[in-house]
Amino acid sequence: MTPAPASRAGGPGAPVRVLLDVDPGHDDALAILVAAGLPGLEIAAITTVGGNQTLEKVTRNALAVATVAGLETVVAAGCDRPLVTGAVLTDPETHGASGLDGPELPEPTVRLDPRHGVDVIVETVMAAEPGTVTLVPTGPLTNIATALRRQPAIADRVAEVVLMGGGYSKGNVTPAAEFNIYTDPEAAHIVFSAPWRVTMVGLDLTHQALATPDVHQRFRAMGTRAGRFVVDMLDFFGPAYRAKQGFDSPPVHDVCALVRAVAPDIVTVRPGHVDVELHGQHTRGMTVTDLRGREGRDLDHLVATELDVPRFWDLVTGAVARLP
Ligand code: RIB
Ligand code: CA
Protein backbone atom coordinates (compact mmCIF):
# COMPACT_ATOMS: atom_id res chain seq x y z
CA MET A 1 0.00 0.00 0.00
CA THR A 2 1.07 3.59 -0.54
CA PRO A 3 2.51 4.86 2.72
CA ALA A 4 0.15 7.39 4.24
CA PRO A 5 1.61 10.87 4.51
CA ALA A 6 3.26 11.37 7.86
CA SER A 7 0.50 12.47 10.21
CA ARG A 8 -0.10 16.12 9.46
CA ALA A 9 0.61 17.58 12.85
CA GLY A 10 -0.24 20.94 11.47
CA GLY A 11 -3.94 20.17 11.28
CA PRO A 12 -6.39 21.21 8.53
CA GLY A 13 -5.95 24.93 9.03
CA ALA A 14 -2.16 24.90 9.11
CA PRO A 15 -0.38 26.42 6.09
CA VAL A 16 1.00 23.92 3.64
CA ARG A 17 4.79 24.18 3.77
CA VAL A 18 6.72 23.15 0.68
CA LEU A 19 10.43 22.82 0.10
CA LEU A 20 11.18 23.39 -3.58
CA ASP A 21 14.28 21.61 -4.96
CA VAL A 22 14.77 23.16 -8.36
CA ASP A 23 17.01 23.62 -11.42
CA PRO A 24 15.53 26.80 -13.01
CA GLY A 25 14.79 26.36 -15.86
CA HIS A 26 11.65 28.13 -17.11
CA ASP A 27 9.13 25.72 -15.68
CA ASP A 28 10.89 25.61 -12.32
CA ALA A 29 10.80 29.40 -12.33
CA LEU A 30 7.06 29.45 -12.97
CA ALA A 31 6.59 26.94 -10.14
CA ILE A 32 8.46 29.27 -7.77
CA LEU A 33 6.29 32.23 -8.84
CA VAL A 34 3.09 30.23 -8.39
CA ALA A 35 4.20 29.04 -4.95
CA ALA A 36 4.99 32.62 -3.98
CA GLY A 37 1.57 33.83 -5.09
CA LEU A 38 -0.59 31.09 -3.60
CA PRO A 39 -2.40 32.21 -0.46
CA GLY A 40 -1.87 29.96 2.55
CA LEU A 41 1.27 28.38 1.14
CA GLU A 42 4.60 28.76 2.89
CA ILE A 43 7.85 28.10 1.04
CA ALA A 44 10.01 26.52 3.73
CA ALA A 45 13.10 26.79 1.52
CA ILE A 46 14.32 26.72 -2.07
CA THR A 47 17.31 24.50 -2.84
CA THR A 48 19.03 24.26 -6.18
CA VAL A 49 20.60 21.36 -8.06
CA GLY A 50 22.61 21.15 -11.27
CA GLY A 51 20.38 20.11 -14.14
CA ASN A 52 18.95 22.39 -16.81
CA GLN A 53 22.10 24.42 -16.39
CA THR A 54 25.13 24.37 -14.10
CA LEU A 55 24.57 24.75 -10.38
CA GLU A 56 25.99 28.27 -10.48
CA LYS A 57 23.56 29.34 -13.21
CA VAL A 58 20.42 27.70 -11.80
CA THR A 59 21.23 29.18 -8.38
CA ARG A 60 21.58 32.66 -9.82
CA ASN A 61 18.29 32.10 -11.62
CA ALA A 62 16.55 30.95 -8.44
CA LEU A 63 17.70 34.09 -6.62
CA ALA A 64 16.49 36.26 -9.48
CA VAL A 65 13.06 34.60 -9.58
CA ALA A 66 12.73 34.84 -5.80
CA THR A 67 13.49 38.55 -6.18
CA VAL A 68 10.80 39.00 -8.83
CA ALA A 69 8.37 37.14 -6.56
CA GLY A 70 9.24 39.37 -3.63
CA LEU A 71 10.13 36.30 -1.58
CA GLU A 72 12.09 36.42 1.66
CA THR A 73 12.97 32.78 1.93
CA VAL A 74 15.99 30.55 2.32
CA VAL A 75 17.71 29.86 -1.00
CA ALA A 76 20.66 27.47 -0.87
CA ALA A 77 22.79 25.77 -3.51
CA GLY A 78 22.97 21.99 -3.40
CA CYS A 79 24.71 19.33 -5.45
CA ASP A 80 26.36 20.28 -8.71
CA ARG A 81 26.49 16.85 -10.31
CA PRO A 82 24.83 13.41 -10.25
CA LEU A 83 25.82 10.84 -7.64
CA VAL A 84 27.64 8.42 -9.93
CA THR A 85 28.25 9.68 -13.46
CA GLY A 86 29.27 13.17 -12.31
CA ALA A 87 28.12 14.62 -15.61
CA VAL A 88 25.41 17.30 -15.57
CA LEU A 89 23.57 17.09 -18.87
CA THR A 90 22.33 20.72 -19.02
CA ASP A 91 19.75 21.67 -21.62
CA PRO A 92 20.67 25.00 -23.24
CA GLU A 93 18.54 24.25 -26.29
CA THR A 94 15.42 24.41 -24.12
CA HIS A 95 16.41 26.90 -21.44
CA GLY A 96 19.21 28.90 -23.07
CA ALA A 97 22.82 29.54 -22.13
CA SER A 98 21.75 31.19 -18.87
CA GLY A 99 19.23 28.48 -18.04
CA LEU A 100 16.52 31.18 -18.00
CA ASP A 101 16.86 33.02 -21.32
CA GLY A 102 14.14 35.49 -22.24
CA PRO A 103 13.44 37.74 -19.26
CA GLU A 104 15.92 40.27 -17.93
CA LEU A 105 17.09 38.84 -14.64
CA PRO A 106 17.14 41.42 -11.82
CA GLU A 107 20.06 41.77 -9.46
CA PRO A 108 18.98 39.51 -6.58
CA THR A 109 17.79 41.12 -3.38
CA VAL A 110 17.55 37.64 -1.84
CA ARG A 111 20.76 36.52 -0.15
CA LEU A 112 22.18 33.08 -0.90
CA ASP A 113 22.20 31.01 2.29
CA PRO A 114 25.78 29.87 2.99
CA ARG A 115 24.65 26.38 3.98
CA HIS A 116 24.72 23.52 1.46
CA GLY A 117 21.28 22.81 0.04
CA VAL A 118 21.34 19.26 1.35
CA ASP A 119 21.94 20.55 4.88
CA VAL A 120 19.04 22.96 4.44
CA ILE A 121 16.75 20.10 3.41
CA VAL A 122 17.76 17.99 6.42
CA GLU A 123 17.67 20.86 8.93
CA THR A 124 14.35 22.21 7.64
CA VAL A 125 12.62 18.83 7.81
CA MET A 126 14.11 17.80 11.16
CA ALA A 127 13.20 21.14 12.76
CA ALA A 128 9.59 21.01 11.55
CA GLU A 129 6.66 19.21 13.14
CA PRO A 130 6.42 15.76 11.50
CA GLY A 131 4.14 15.79 8.49
CA THR A 132 4.23 19.54 7.91
CA VAL A 133 6.80 19.81 5.09
CA THR A 134 6.19 18.49 1.58
CA LEU A 135 9.23 18.07 -0.67
CA VAL A 136 8.62 19.19 -4.26
CA PRO A 137 11.69 18.25 -6.32
CA THR A 138 11.56 19.49 -9.93
CA GLY A 139 15.09 18.71 -11.08
CA PRO A 140 17.44 15.75 -10.82
CA LEU A 141 17.00 14.07 -7.43
CA THR A 142 20.63 14.33 -6.30
CA ASN A 143 19.92 16.66 -3.35
CA ILE A 144 16.99 14.60 -2.11
CA ALA A 145 18.91 11.32 -2.27
CA THR A 146 21.93 12.86 -0.56
CA ALA A 147 19.72 14.27 2.20
CA LEU A 148 18.23 10.80 2.74
CA ARG A 149 21.69 9.30 3.05
CA ARG A 150 22.76 12.03 5.46
CA GLN A 151 19.65 11.75 7.66
CA PRO A 152 17.38 8.76 6.90
CA ALA A 153 14.92 10.00 9.52
CA ILE A 154 13.62 12.63 7.10
CA ALA A 155 11.68 9.82 5.42
CA ASP A 156 9.51 9.54 8.55
CA ARG A 157 9.03 13.27 9.00
CA VAL A 158 8.29 14.55 5.52
CA ALA A 159 4.56 14.76 4.72
CA GLU A 160 5.27 13.43 1.24
CA VAL A 161 7.45 13.82 -1.82
CA VAL A 162 5.74 15.11 -4.96
CA LEU A 163 8.30 15.06 -7.74
CA MET A 164 8.32 16.08 -11.35
CA GLY A 165 10.11 13.35 -13.24
CA GLY A 166 9.80 10.16 -15.21
CA GLY A 167 6.75 8.92 -17.02
CA TYR A 168 4.93 5.62 -17.42
CA SER A 169 4.67 5.69 -21.19
CA LYS A 170 7.29 8.09 -22.51
CA GLY A 171 10.63 9.81 -22.14
CA ASN A 172 12.10 13.03 -23.51
CA VAL A 173 15.85 12.50 -23.42
CA THR A 174 15.48 8.99 -24.79
CA PRO A 175 12.27 7.23 -25.80
CA ALA A 176 12.35 5.63 -22.35
CA ALA A 177 13.76 8.23 -19.96
CA GLU A 178 12.82 11.73 -18.81
CA PHE A 179 15.48 14.40 -18.15
CA ASN A 180 15.35 14.63 -14.32
CA ILE A 181 15.54 10.87 -13.86
CA TYR A 182 17.94 10.27 -16.75
CA THR A 183 20.39 12.83 -15.32
CA ASP A 184 20.69 10.96 -12.01
CA PRO A 185 19.01 7.53 -12.07
CA GLU A 186 20.82 6.32 -8.95
CA ALA A 187 19.45 9.26 -6.97
CA ALA A 188 15.98 8.56 -8.30
CA HIS A 189 16.29 4.90 -7.28
CA ILE A 190 17.17 5.96 -3.74
CA VAL A 191 14.21 8.36 -3.58
CA PHE A 192 11.65 5.87 -4.95
CA SER A 193 12.97 3.12 -2.64
CA ALA A 194 12.77 5.10 0.60
CA PRO A 195 9.86 4.48 3.04
CA TRP A 196 7.99 7.74 2.36
CA ARG A 197 5.07 8.59 0.14
CA VAL A 198 6.25 9.48 -3.34
CA THR A 199 4.01 10.82 -6.07
CA MET A 200 5.47 10.72 -9.57
CA VAL A 201 4.25 13.61 -11.70
CA GLY A 202 5.68 12.46 -15.00
CA LEU A 203 5.47 13.41 -18.64
CA ASP A 204 2.15 11.61 -19.12
CA LEU A 205 0.65 14.25 -16.84
CA THR A 206 2.82 17.27 -17.55
CA HIS A 207 2.27 17.12 -21.31
CA GLN A 208 -1.33 18.11 -20.51
CA ALA A 209 -0.14 21.43 -19.00
CA LEU A 210 0.52 23.36 -22.22
CA ALA A 211 1.06 27.13 -22.13
CA THR A 212 -1.13 27.87 -25.14
CA PRO A 213 -1.54 31.32 -26.73
CA ASP A 214 -4.68 31.82 -24.61
CA VAL A 215 -2.68 31.14 -21.46
CA HIS A 216 0.10 33.40 -22.72
CA GLN A 217 -2.48 36.19 -23.15
CA ARG A 218 -3.76 35.76 -19.57
CA PHE A 219 -0.27 36.50 -18.26
CA ARG A 220 0.18 39.41 -20.66
CA ALA A 221 -3.12 40.95 -19.56
CA MET A 222 -1.97 41.13 -15.94
CA GLY A 223 0.17 44.21 -16.63
CA THR A 224 2.38 43.38 -13.63
CA ARG A 225 6.12 42.81 -13.30
CA ALA A 226 5.54 39.14 -12.54
CA GLY A 227 3.11 38.77 -15.44
CA ARG A 228 5.59 40.36 -17.83
CA PHE A 229 8.36 38.11 -16.46
CA VAL A 230 6.28 35.04 -17.29
CA VAL A 231 5.47 36.39 -20.76
CA ASP A 232 9.17 36.97 -21.40
CA MET A 233 9.94 33.46 -20.20
CA LEU A 234 7.29 31.92 -22.45
CA ASP A 235 8.46 34.01 -25.39
CA PHE A 236 11.73 32.08 -25.19
CA PHE A 237 10.52 28.75 -23.80
CA GLY A 238 7.77 28.27 -26.39
CA PRO A 239 9.85 28.54 -29.56
CA ALA A 240 12.72 26.65 -27.94
CA TYR A 241 10.42 23.78 -27.00
CA ARG A 242 8.84 23.80 -30.45
CA ALA A 243 12.24 23.64 -32.15
CA LYS A 244 13.59 20.88 -29.94
CA GLN A 245 10.56 18.75 -29.12
CA GLY A 246 8.00 19.75 -31.75
CA PHE A 247 5.34 21.05 -29.35
CA ASP A 248 3.00 23.81 -30.55
CA SER A 249 2.86 25.05 -26.94
CA PRO A 250 5.38 24.31 -24.15
CA PRO A 251 4.47 22.04 -21.22
CA VAL A 252 5.15 23.66 -17.85
CA HIS A 253 6.20 20.39 -16.26
CA ASP A 254 7.33 21.51 -12.82
CA VAL A 255 4.26 23.58 -12.02
CA CYS A 256 2.24 20.35 -12.13
CA ALA A 257 4.17 18.87 -9.22
CA LEU A 258 3.61 21.99 -7.12
CA VAL A 259 -0.10 22.02 -7.97
CA ARG A 260 -0.44 18.35 -7.01
CA ALA A 261 1.17 19.15 -3.66
CA VAL A 262 -1.08 22.10 -2.85
CA ALA A 263 -4.32 21.36 -4.71
CA PRO A 264 -4.29 17.58 -5.11
CA ASP A 265 -7.77 17.30 -6.63
CA ILE A 266 -6.55 19.10 -9.76
CA VAL A 267 -4.13 16.23 -10.50
CA THR A 268 -5.62 12.73 -10.57
CA VAL A 269 -3.33 9.95 -9.36
CA ARG A 270 -3.51 6.17 -9.09
CA PRO A 271 -1.50 3.64 -7.08
CA GLY A 272 1.47 2.08 -8.80
CA HIS A 273 5.00 0.88 -8.27
CA VAL A 274 7.97 2.59 -9.89
CA ASP A 275 11.37 1.00 -10.41
CA VAL A 276 14.16 3.04 -11.94
CA GLU A 277 16.19 1.26 -14.60
CA LEU A 278 19.90 1.69 -13.91
CA HIS A 279 21.58 -0.67 -16.38
CA GLY A 280 19.63 -0.89 -19.64
CA GLN A 281 21.62 -0.04 -22.74
CA HIS A 282 18.60 1.74 -24.18
CA THR A 283 16.51 2.20 -21.05
CA ARG A 284 18.79 3.65 -18.37
CA GLY A 285 16.76 6.23 -16.41
CA MET A 286 13.40 4.72 -17.35
CA THR A 287 10.73 4.82 -14.64
CA VAL A 288 9.36 1.32 -15.08
CA THR A 289 5.83 1.79 -13.77
CA ASP A 290 3.55 -1.07 -12.71
CA LEU A 291 -0.08 0.06 -12.77
CA ARG A 292 -1.49 -3.45 -12.98
CA GLY A 293 -2.55 -3.73 -9.35
CA ARG A 294 -1.64 -7.41 -9.13
CA GLU A 295 -2.60 -9.12 -5.92
CA GLY A 296 0.13 -8.85 -3.34
CA ARG A 297 2.31 -6.49 -5.38
CA ASP A 298 3.04 -3.52 -3.22
CA LEU A 299 1.68 -0.51 -5.13
CA ASP A 300 3.53 1.86 -2.86
CA HIS A 301 3.77 4.92 -5.09
CA LEU A 302 1.25 7.33 -6.57
CA VAL A 303 1.36 8.06 -10.28
CA ALA A 304 -0.22 11.18 -11.78
CA THR A 305 -2.43 10.48 -14.76
CA GLU A 306 -4.91 13.27 -15.49
CA LEU A 307 -4.89 17.06 -15.16
CA ASP A 308 -7.96 19.23 -14.73
CA VAL A 309 -6.59 21.71 -17.26
CA PRO A 310 -9.03 24.62 -16.80
CA ARG A 311 -8.65 24.55 -12.98
CA PHE A 312 -4.89 24.18 -13.32
CA TRP A 313 -4.53 27.36 -15.34
CA ASP A 314 -7.04 29.23 -13.18
CA LEU A 315 -4.93 28.42 -10.12
CA VAL A 316 -1.62 29.20 -11.87
CA THR A 317 -2.69 32.53 -13.37
CA GLY A 318 -4.54 33.47 -10.19
CA ALA A 319 -1.39 32.93 -8.13
CA VAL A 320 0.89 34.91 -10.45
CA ALA A 321 -1.69 37.71 -10.63
CA ARG A 322 -1.31 38.14 -6.84
CA LEU A 323 2.37 39.06 -7.26
CA PRO A 324 3.48 42.66 -7.79
O1 RIB B 1 11.76 16.72 -18.34
C1 RIB B 1 11.30 17.94 -17.82
C2 RIB B 1 12.07 18.32 -16.60
O2 RIB B 1 13.44 18.50 -16.93
C3 RIB B 1 11.63 19.67 -16.00
O3 RIB B 1 11.84 19.64 -14.62
C4 RIB B 1 12.55 20.64 -16.65
O4 RIB B 1 12.72 21.82 -15.85
C5 RIB B 1 13.82 19.85 -16.71
O5 RIB B 1 14.46 19.97 -15.45
CA1 CA C 1 13.17 21.38 -13.59
Side-chain angles (χ1 to χ4, degrees):
M1 283 302 292
T2 305
S7 58
R8 291 190 66 86
V16 176
R17 298 185 71 212
V18 295
L19 190 149
L20 306 177
D21 188 64
V22 296
D23 63 334
H26 293 70
D27 50 335
D28 306 75
L30 184 53
I32 294 170
L33 293 173
V34 171
L38 279 175
L41 179 67
E42 181 188 333
I43 300 176
I46 296 173
T47 52
T48 60
V49 62
N52 284 322
Q53 261 301 349
T54 62
L55 178 66
E56 179 190 4
K57 290 182 177 180
V58 299
T59 302
R60 182 200 58 200
N61 296 340
L63 291 170
V65 175
T67 300
V68 170
L71 282 174
E72 292 177 2
T73 189
V74 168
V75 179
C79 299
D80 66 349
R81 68 196 66 192
L83 295 181
V84 173
T85 62
V88 176
L89 275 183
T90 71
D91 186 4
E93 292 170 281
T94 305
H95 298 281
S98 71
L100 199 57
D101 280 18
E104 185 178 336
L105 301 181
E107 272 308 304
T109 56
V110 178
R111 181 182 59 87
L112 182 63
D113 192 300
R115 293 174 291 170
H116 191 284
V118 170
D119 292 332
V120 167
I121 293 169
V122 171
E123 292 165 19
T124 301
V125 172
M126 296 308 289
E129 280 287 299
T132 60
V133 176
T134 295
L135 301 186
V136 182
T138 61
L141 292 163
T142 318
N143 287 342
I144 309 299
T146 306
L148 266 172
R149 282 286 190 268
R150 192 163 298 178
Q151 179 47 279
I154 65 171
D156 302 323
R157 297 179 70 93
V158 160
E160 59 179 332
V161 179
V162 183
L163 64 88
M164 191 279 137
Y168 54 83
S169 74
K170 59 185 77 176
N172 57 12
V173 177
T174 72
E178 176 278 328
F179 179 86
N180 291 336
I181 310 300
Y182 183 82
T183 298
D184 197 342
E186 283 76 16
H189 168 71
I190 291 169
V191 171
F192 278 104
S193 305
W196 52 11
R197 184 162 93 156
V198 177
T199 299
M200 178 174 82
V201 181
L203 296 177
D204 303 277
L205 189 283
T206 66
H207 284 181
Q208 300 170 50
L210 302 175
T212 62
D214 287 350
V215 167
H216 199 283
Q217 181 51 35
R218 290 170 75 172
F219 287 113
R220 187 181 300 279
M222 290 176 192
T224 60
R225 179 189 189 191
R228 281 191 300 277
F229 192 86
V230 175
V231 166
D232 291 345
M233 286 203 296
L234 293 177
D235 281 346
F236 178 88
F237 192 48
Y241 223 98
R242 185 176 307 117
K244 183 174 183 184
Q245 306 249 12
F247 280 65
D248 290 336
S249 301
V252 290
H253 307 279
D254 298 334
V255 185
C256 300
L258 173 74
V259 170
R260 170 64 195 178
V262 301
D265 57 332
I266 293 180
V267 179
T268 302
V269 299
R270 56 183 290 189
H273 178 78
V274 178
D275 288 304
V276 180
E277 176 57 57
L278 301 178
H279 307 294
Q281 180 183 349
H282 305 291
T283 54
R284 175 168 162 81
M286 180 177 181
T287 47
V288 182
T289 306
D290 189 343
L291 297 170
R292 291 173 295 171
R294 288 174 300 163
E295 278 306 308
R297 176 67 191 258
D298 201 7
L299 298 183
D300 51 350
H301 300 126
L302 291 175
V303 177
T305 57
E306 189 175 350
L307 182 69
D308 184 329
V309 175
R311 289 177 63 208
F312 173 82
W313 285 116
D314 286 349
L315 181 147
V316 167
T317 54
V320 174
R322 290 169 49 88
L323 299 176

